[in-house]
Amino acid sequence: MSIEAFGAACIRRVASFLAVGAGLLAGGCAEEVSIGEPAALESARLASSALGADRTEERRHHGSGGARGRWRSRGVGGGGALFSPSINPHDGREIFMASDMRGVYRTRDFGRKWTNLDFRNIQGGVLSQFRFTADPDVLYAVTYKGPENVIFDAATLAKSTDGGATWDAPVTTPGAPGDAHYLFVDPCDTERLLVSDTRQLYASRDGGRSFHLVHTTDWPGGLRVGGVHWDGDDIYAGTSDGLLVSRNGGASFALDTSIGGLPQGEKIVSFAGAGHGRRARFFAVTFSAADSAGNPLVTANTTGGELDAYAGLYRLKLGERRWIPATNGLGPSDKLAFVATSADDPGVAYAAGGDRQTLAPIVLKTVDGGASWRHVFRSDHNANIATGWSGFGGDMGWDFGEYALGLSVSPEDSRRVAITDLGFVHVSDDGGKSFQQAYVDPADDNRRGADTPKSRFYRTSGVEQTSGWWLTFPDKDTIFASLTDIRSAYSEDGGRSWARDGANGLTLNTTYHAVQHPITGALYAATGSVHDIYQSPWMRDARIDGTQARPARGGIMVSHDKGATWSLVADLGRNVIWLALDPNDPDQLYASTVHSQTGGIVHLDLSAPGAAPEPLPAPPRTQGHAFNVHVLKDGSIVATYSGHQPGNTRTFTDRAGVFLLPPGAPAWEDRSSPEMHYWTKDVVIDPNDRTESTWYVTVFSHDDRFFGGLYRTRDRGLTWQRISDKVRVESCAIDPRDPDRMYMTTERDGLWITENLNDDAPRFFRDDGYSFQQPVRVFWNPHDLDEVWTVSFGGGMRVKRVRALIAPRRAAPGSSARPARRELAAPAAQRPVGGRAPVLHETRAAVVTSSPDRPRRARRRAAATRSDAALAQRRRA
């Protein structure tokens, strides 16, 4: 569909014409943010006076029905990289943005609240983009959503025809499979698209059903498409090869070599146009094309993080033959990566990047077509910025966000601007006169013109893109979260609000694990300078061990005030990832450390301050990549070692597995199934087995043999049974109220549940109320067992409450039978996995035997009352 009108006028006409059928950007949201206090007045202003406000209010409750509110985001807000903010031209309060951790976030009130779109519909990434069309219901995106049970990344096109509620409308992705890069859509049409892969640019004039090749680069770094300006049949694409122009609606493109002004050795990385016909004006940001050795600095994958290659900012009026430098107003340490305009206001443009001296994000604005620029994001003492916990003087300064990773200006209203960076999102609705943080509840704002206070508590707005590893519950009100990048978070009100206290004594990048001494109440934490250990690709020696100039660091910290402040117990000189206290003598602490030469498990006597940590012998086959460690009641020690990649390679060695050190034994016993030799994750000891012989071990697939899954032993690792074949299983947790119920977390497939864990072949069902793809671990609040929490790899923390009833259940083998509490309702839209027969592995001889898949216990009881023929028929089915 094409609308013969120009710019914002065309968008207004189409928006009016299609208002009755306009859909909601609902995205299948499976959770919502709970905000308990009225929003601040300044934030209420941001959410008002937008086109389509009435329509958005009508859409408010459109969504995913029963799944809504099951899991709620909790945390301090922000803390991870955000990309590609996109303001809806039909409703200026609506914004999409993505994180590099696969999350896609949407707000319908200009940043007061955000929802995380369900990963089964769409997934984000560094190059995610969200494009609106002339029809409010038709959207296109670059998504990183791939098939289930895969171990590779794929970027493809997605299309929605219902305003973003679903993303399964037919569309093809041209070029190399899974290699979608840049996407641009005619705002006055629904059918015209431009899409690139690493080296080629393709055009579609039928809504993505088919594409034709229009340009191929010979630049070694690939093709960067910085932006596209649509003007009827005239289309202008600013690329790393130059300005590509079509005069026939996209049927063909050619480089306009008649336009000069860009110095040799510079390439366009960001491009924007405004106005139409003779009024059109273009802006471009360039980077140096290559370094002194000739290596490309501009590539198909260039982001705002490469801003140190910034070369220049230029402007061009249509009809002129030369780009003109447009740097009046820029400081000597200002480096840019983005430029953006509003469709019909050629005098106004914004540019964003970072100040490399203050290490703060910057936004500049021109109102005279680029002749002069002025800073409008004034971070010094937060002059015009209402901040969250990051800002001048805050728990983390502006250097945490550091530089822009995305910039959007509303095509309909040049006063509406959004900027994202390495940690946060900020918005303005008054043309940059003021900015507002949009990652914590607006009621928790810190006022403009004042330094950001330290140690305050905040509630999230729903932007939760940090990675979490562990939760500790010192008492009924206090929760301590072990996190990456922002190090930790601390709550004193049961998780409703959180502090990211920059002065709490935790100085290394990541807190991985924390345990509480059962007698003194002290917390001990495992910390390290390297983040995301044992996530791909953080298993390489080159990344984990550090260098002579910058060695890895790590240690054990202690808190005597429930996690509010911390001090050093032992500096181990390498990353520490796990801790365990001996249940028979909790003053004996064991720590897992990570280093290819010096890593392993060490023992520390807490009753002897200053005593040197004592290393335990290395288990067979391992090379310093210790992970979980548990001390059993009989004094045995169980440990997992995880993936190892030597040097800077991506080759896995067989250094992983699960190991047992019996009491008084001089050496470890290898209790690994062969599938565990490459990328083992957690070992969970079944708390319902009084002999502690039942263990669950999670495994990631490392190649196309697909060894991943969930494995169970009932004899301390002598034999193993694979009870789930999901390709990458992170961890699992058994419901303390029900020994038959377990949550299982996965890397790409979300959160799963079984309610017949102790059967020979448990059946797992997806928890459809959990919308993020990679939960890491699940926790029950020990002070309130109806409260369940998750931490995730890039999706923050989430919580739900589940009421339970007392119901008799079969206990785990070796346990004392006790009634278990049963949930009132199972997860919505449960979907079973498999039904494949369990496989037993004898650890030493690697003998594989099979046993038939048994029906569930309830079915066996029902079958006993029926005829033999009916029973046989059901078994055959």
Side-chain angles (χ1 to χ4, degrees):
M1 178 189 70
S2 177
I3 304 298
E4 294 301 328
F6 293 131
C10 98
I11 296 173
R12 280 194 295 270
R13 286 178 55 191
V14 175
S16 176
F17 178 71
L18 297 174
V20 174
L24 168 65
L25 302 176
C29 168
E31 50 97 7
E32 64 183 22
V33 180
S34 176
I35 295 189
E37 295 185 11
L41 291 177
E42 61 189 12
S43 299
R45 175 178 57 81
L46 289 175
S48 64
S49 67
L51 288 175
D54 293 339
R55 185 168 65 250
T56 300
E57 183 64 28
E58 294 170 0
R59 300 169 179 170
R60 184 177 304 276
H61 300 292
H62 182 81
S64 55
R68 181 174 291 274
R70 292 179 64 86
W71 289 93
R72 296 175 181 268
S73 285
R74 289 291 183 268
V76 72
L82 294 167
F83 298 82
S84 304
S86 301
I87 301 175
N88 185 351
H90 307 288
D91 182 350
R93 303 190 302 177
E94 202 155 43
I95 308 173
F96 276 112
M97 66 181 177
S99 83
D100 59 344
M101 307 300 286
R102 299 302 176 90
V104 174
Y105 301 88
R106 185 207 67 220
T107 178
R108 290 177 289 173
D109 53 15
F110 211 53
R112 292 172 62 194
K113 293 184 293 183
W114 298 80
T115 53
N116 174 208
L117 306 191
D118 196 296
F119 75 97
R120 288 161 293 179
N121 283 326
I122 190 168
Q123 294 179 25
V126 172
L127 294 179
S128 286
Q129 295 133 73
F130 312 95
R131 303 300 184 194
F132 301 93
T133 70
D135 183 342
D137 281 342
V138 179
L139 295 86
Y140 296 87
V142 173
T143 176
Y144 285 74
K145 178 180 178 292
E148 290 188 11
N149 267 1
V150 297
I151 59 174
F152 58 85
D153 292 330
T156 60
L157 294 190
K159 181 178 181 179
S160 175
T161 55
D162 55 10
T166 60
W167 290 88
D168 55 4
V171 65
T172 59
T173 303
D179 192 36
H181 272 63
Y182 301 103
L183 164 69
F184 298 92
V185 180
D186 186 346
C188 293
D189 196 278
T190 61
E191 305 284 292
R192 295 203 296 178
L193 289 72
L194 287 174
V195 179
S196 70
D197 64 9
T198 298
R199 308 200 63 80
Q200 297 175 309
L201 182 65
Y202 300 85
S204 174
R205 294 190 287 178
D206 58 9
R209 291 186 294 274
S210 63
F211 286 86
H212 60 279
L213 178 66
V214 296
H215 180 72
T216 301
T217 186
D218 58 5
W219 175 244
L223 182 65
R224 165 80 180 185
V225 184
V228 175
H229 179 67
W230 306 80
D231 192 355
D233 283 339
D234 296 336
I235 308 171
Y236 305 87
T239 76
S240 50
D241 285 348
L243 188 62
L244 284 171
V245 180
S246 174
R247 303 294 186 190
N248 52 13
S252 61
F253 281 78
L255 282 171
D256 190 338
T257 57
S258 67
I259 300 176
L262 296 184
Q264 187 174 4
E266 295 184 18
K267 287 185 174 293
I268 293 173
V269 295
S270 185
F271 171 86
H276 298 275
R278 295 181 179 180
R279 295 180 63 244
R281 188 187 302 271
F282 304 140
F283 300 88
V285 174
T286 64
F287 281 6
S288 297
D291 62 19
S292 58
N295 301 307
L297 294 174
V298 176
T299 72
N301 298 311
T302 293
T303 72
E306 282 78 55
L307 79 167
D308 285 325
Y310 166 73
L313 174 64
Y314 300 88
R315 58 192 173 107
L316 174 72
K317 285 185 178 180
L318 188 63
E320 295 180 347
R321 310 316 303 165
R322 191 169 187 83
W323 288 96
I324 300 172
T327 57
N328 182 22
L330 274 69
S333 58
D334 293 342
K335 293 184 181 293
L336 303 176
F338 300 95
V339 64
T341 61
S342 190
D344 235 21
D345 195 345
V348 176
Y350 296 82
D355 184 326
R356 306 311 283 156
Q357 181 176 350
T358 65
L359 299 181
I362 59 173
V363 180
L364 295 98
K365 179 182 181 181
T366 181
V367 295
D368 53 14
S372 62
W373 298 80
R374 60 183 176 85
H375 283 269
V376 293
F377 192 84
R378 295 184 289 135
S379 58
D380 187 35
H381 293 281
N382 312 317
N384 69 333
I385 306 168
T387 65
W389 53 270
S390 176
F392 192 99
D395 290 310
M396 286 192 172
W398 287 112
D399 57 335
F400 189 93
E402 191 174 351
Y403 48 72
L405 289 173
L407 174 68
S408 180
V409 178
S410 169
E412 183 67 23
D413 182 356
S414 62
R415 297 170 300 173
R416 287 188 176 265
V417 184
I419 175 180
T420 60
D421 56 34
L422 281 170
F424 313 103
V425 55
H426 292 81
V427 296
S428 173
D429 73 338
D430 57 10
K433 293 178 182 177
S434 64
F435 278 85
Q436 163 86 31
Q437 65 76 26
Y439 56 94
V440 304
D441 186 330
D444 298 334
D445 282 350
N446 298 300
R447 65 183 180 87
R448 300 182 181 94
D451 289 3
T452 304
K454 288 183 170 65
S455 307
R456 273 198 64 193
F457 288 82
Y458 300 87
R459 292 160 296 169
T460 184
S461 69
V463 180
E464 289 293 330
Q465 73 278 30
T466 55
S467 293
W469 310 107
W470 200 259
L471 294 178
T472 312
F473 300 82
D475 62 30
K476 65 183 181 64
D477 296 317
T478 308
I479 309 175
F480 177 78
S482 300
L483 307 175
T484 275
D485 291 337
I486 66 173
R487 306 168 192 162
S488 68
Y490 171 79
S491 176
E492 293 180 342
D493 58 7
R496 288 182 291 276
S497 64
W498 296 79
R500 164 56 198 108
D501 191 341
N504 68 354
L506 295 173
T507 60
L508 298 182
N509 178 277
T510 300
T511 306
Y512 280 106
H513 191 228
V515 294
Q516 185 174 24
H517 196 290
I519 299 173
T520 68
L523 300 187
Y524 294 88
T527 67
S529 60
V530 177
H531 59 65
D532 303 342
I533 293 177
Y534 303 141
Q535 300 290 334
S536 179
W538 296 95
M539 291 165 288
R540 304 179 195 175
D541 294 345
R543 296 198 174 197
I544 292 178
D545 294 354
T547 64
Q548 186 173 1
R550 191 175 181 181
R553 295 170 293 153
I556 302 170
M557 308 293 289
V558 64
S559 172
H560 297 287
D561 53 13
K562 305 177 185 179
T565 60
W566 296 82
S567 59
L568 183 67
V569 173
D571 182 352
L572 299 182
R574 53 199 184 276
N575 290 280
V576 184
I577 198 169
W578 201 272
L579 300 175
L581 295 170
D582 187 336
N584 303 298
D585 181 0
D587 283 338
Q588 307 310 308
L589 176 69
Y590 295 83
S592 293
T593 68
V594 189
H595 191 282
S596 65
Q597 302 301 316
T598 61
I601 298 172
V602 301
H603 165 249
L604 189 66
D605 187 349
L606 298 177
S607 66
E614 175 188 3
L616 272 61
R621 295 189 299 102
T622 62
Q623 193 171 337
H625 281 201
F627 197 6
N628 289 189
V629 58
H630 300 278
V631 184
L632 305 185
K633 289 178 289 187
D634 68 0
S636 299
I637 300 175
V638 182
T640 58
Y641 277 61
S642 197
H644 173 253
Q645 295 173 327
N648 199 29
T649 72
R650 304 198 72 162
T651 302
F652 281 85
T653 61
D654 64 341
R655 301 289 191 257
V658 58
F659 305 90
L660 176 69
L661 183 64
W668 294 81
E669 298 176 11
D670 190 343
R671 295 295 177 95
S672 311
S673 175
E675 294 86 350
M676 302 173 187
H677 283 206
Y678 297 94
W679 202 350
T680 296
K681 301 300 275 295
D682 282 2
V683 56
V684 174
I685 312 301
D686 191 333
N688 301 292
D689 181 350
R690 64 174 179 268
T691 69
E692 296 184 313
S693 298
T694 303
W695 309 341
Y696 295 88
V697 169
T698 59
V699 177
F700 269 28
S701 296
H702 74 290
D703 63 16
D704 58 9
R705 287 176 288 179
F706 297 105
F707 288 157
L710 177 62
Y711 294 79
R712 175 174 61 195
T713 179
R714 287 172 169 156
D715 53 16
R716 295 198 171 193
L718 295 177
T719 58
W720 291 94
Q721 177 189 15
R722 190 186 196 187
I723 61 174
S724 172
D725 60 359
K726 303 304 289 183
V727 297
R728 289 183 174 175
V729 179
E730 280 277 7
S731 189
C732 60
I734 299 171
D735 190 335
R737 306 164 303 176
D738 185 344
D740 260 341
R741 167 173 269 262
M742 171 189 277
Y743 278 103
M744 179 179 69
T745 61
T746 69
E747 184 200 45
R748 295 174 181 266
D749 301 313
L751 183 63
W752 295 76
I753 308 170
T754 181
E755 295 186 327
N756 65 325
L757 175 63
N758 291 293
D759 283 4
D760 285 344
R763 296 177 65 82
F764 285 85
F765 303 85
R766 197 198 308 268
D767 184 337
D768 286 336
Y770 190 87
S771 64
F772 190 71
Q773 73 159 14
Q774 191 174 355
V776 173
R777 294 187 179 95
V778 178
F779 306 85
W780 279 264
N781 184 341
H783 309 285
D784 181 358
L785 293 179
D786 290 343
E787 187 174 87
V788 190
W789 288 78
T790 64
V791 292
S792 66
F793 187 58
M797 297 176 282
R798 303 188 185 198
V799 63
K800 73 172 181 179
R801 292 195 60 80
V802 181
R803 290 188 300 140
L805 295 175
I806 299 296
R809 300 300 304 275
R810 183 180 64 185
S815 68
S816 56
R818 299 193 321 178
R821 301 174 70 188
R822 184 76 182 230
E823 288 191 6
L824 287 175
Q830 292 182 339
R831 192 162 64 115
V833 177
R836 100 171 30 177
V839 178
L840 295 179
H841 297 276
E842 187 175 342
T843 302
R844 291 181 177 83
V847 174
V848 180
T849 62
S850 296
S851 62
D853 188 5
R854 301 183 185 177
R856 295 188 64 174
R857 182 171 58 256
R859 294 180 180 176
R860 289 201 301 270
R861 287 197 297 266
T865 65
R866 302 174 186 240
S867 68
D868 291 342
L871 177 59
Q873 181 180 5
R874 183 165 59 259
R875 283 177 174 168
R876 286 195 297 272

